């Protein structure tokens, strides 16, 4: 988000309430959500714009993180994934008229400047630097679709409970993700 003009990006993850406390000269203030922001997402004031980033659930469910690598094989648990999705559902239920700008991680990687233009239109922003030319944030596609190339990841995903995989399937349909690796079969979704 630092690639836009007249914008302040808070340097660390913070709850949305931080926006109220910031005393900045820039017209646009940005905070990145914390790992528990989904818990009160439905309380987000209507005056706060929202970019809701999504990523293929199988990439999310098989990703690792330095903070949790010694605790469990994958960073995001089923319970966490469901809680995040539930947070979005609560927001939609409580604020059905809210304008949400959805951003697919994969689209950002594939077409960063097109995504940037879409964000600019949604929020009335002017790009200062193209996403594709941001030296501080190089585009890396290495984290995309690792689960398709890793049999152990696919085995893990196929072993997830059918009721959970049904929710994943619903999410995939809503956000245009495919099931090219056959994880979500009719057998596993029953």
């Amino acid at each position: 988000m630092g690639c836009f003009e007249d914008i302040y990006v808070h340097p660390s993850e913070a709850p949305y309430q931080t926006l109220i406390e910031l005393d900045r000269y820039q017209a646009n203030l940005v905070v990145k959500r914390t790992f528990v922001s989904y818990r009160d997402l439905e309380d987000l004031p209507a005056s706060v714009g929202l970019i809701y980033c999504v990523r293929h659930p199988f990439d999310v469910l098989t990703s690792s993180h330095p903070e949790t690598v010694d605790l469990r094989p994958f960073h995001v648990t089923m319970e966490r994934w469901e809680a995040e999705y539930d947070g979005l559902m609560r927001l939609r239920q409580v604020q059905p008229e809210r304008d949400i700008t959805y951003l697919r991680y994969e689209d950002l990687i594939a077409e960063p400047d097109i995504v940037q233009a879409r964000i600019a239109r949604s929020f009335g922003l002017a790009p200062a630097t193209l996403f594709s030319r941001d030296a501080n944030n190089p585009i890396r596609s290495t984290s995309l679709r690792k689960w398709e190339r890793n049999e152990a990841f696919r085995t893990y995903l196929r072993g997830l409970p059918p009721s959970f995989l049904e929710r994943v399937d619903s999410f995939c349909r809503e956000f245009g993700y495919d099931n090219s690796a056959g994880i979500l079969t009719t057998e596993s979704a029953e």
Side-chain angles (χ1 to χ4, degrees):
M1 292 303 294
C3 290
F4 293 101
E5 294 178 2
D6 199 19
I7 201 160
Y8 170 77
V9 179
H10 194 61
S12 59
E13 293 180 357
Y16 68 82
Q17 294 88 342
T18 302
L19 292 168
I20 298 164
E21 301 163 5
L22 291 174
D23 183 21
R24 303 293 304 189
Y25 66 87
Q26 293 91 344
N28 303 286
L29 309 176
V30 175
V31 295
K32 182 182 180 215
R33 57 97 181 119
T34 68
F35 73 99
V36 295
S37 290
Y38 65 89
R39 292 179 182 166
D40 65 352
L41 186 60
E42 72 270 16
D43 298 328
L44 187 68
S47 61
V48 175
L50 177 62
I51 298 174
Y52 195 93
C53 299
V54 296
R55 185 175 178 196
H56 195 296
F58 295 155
D59 277 329
V60 173
L61 292 163
T62 59
S63 66
S64 60
H65 192 281
E67 291 179 14
T68 56
V69 74
D70 293 332
L71 301 174
R72 56 186 174 269
F74 302 117
H75 180 60
V76 176
T77 63
M78 282 187 329
E79 294 79 13
R80 168 68 185 274
W81 187 89
E82 281 196 299
E84 292 266 1
Y85 195 29
D86 288 344
L88 175 60
M89 296 299 110
R90 285 191 311 274
L91 172 66
R92 289 174 171 167
Q93 184 176 25
V94 171
Q95 300 183 36
E97 301 302 316
R98 173 179 273 286
D99 187 23
I100 301 172
T101 299
Y102 292 99
L103 188 155
R104 286 178 14 136
Y105 178 76
E106 296 80 2
D107 297 340
L108 178 63
I109 299 299
E111 301 178 313
D113 299 334
I114 291 172
V115 170
Q116 182 181 25
R118 203 177 103 229
I119 292 170
R121 282 191 307 277
S122 294
F123 294 96
L125 300 173
T129 303
L130 289 175
F131 280 179
S132 63
R133 296 189 181 151
D134 182 7
N136 297 320
N137 247 333
I139 307 270
R140 294 186 184 96
S141 62
T142 56
S143 65
L144 296 179
R145 304 184 79 87
K146 282 185 180 180
W147 54 274
E148 284 186 327
R149 301 183 302 276
N150 186 311
E151 183 58 39
F153 288 5
R154 290 194 308 276
T155 299
Y156 165 74
L157 293 167
R158 284 187 199 106
L160 295 173
S163 60
F164 176 75
L165 290 174
E166 285 178 25
R167 290 207 71 201
V168 168
D169 187 45
S170 175
F171 179 96
C172 287
R173 282 191 314 262
E174 177 178 354
F175 292 105
Y177 290 115
D178 66 13
N179 178 26
S180 60
I183 302 298
L184 298 171
T185 64
T186 52
E187 296 166 6
S188 66
E190 290 178 359

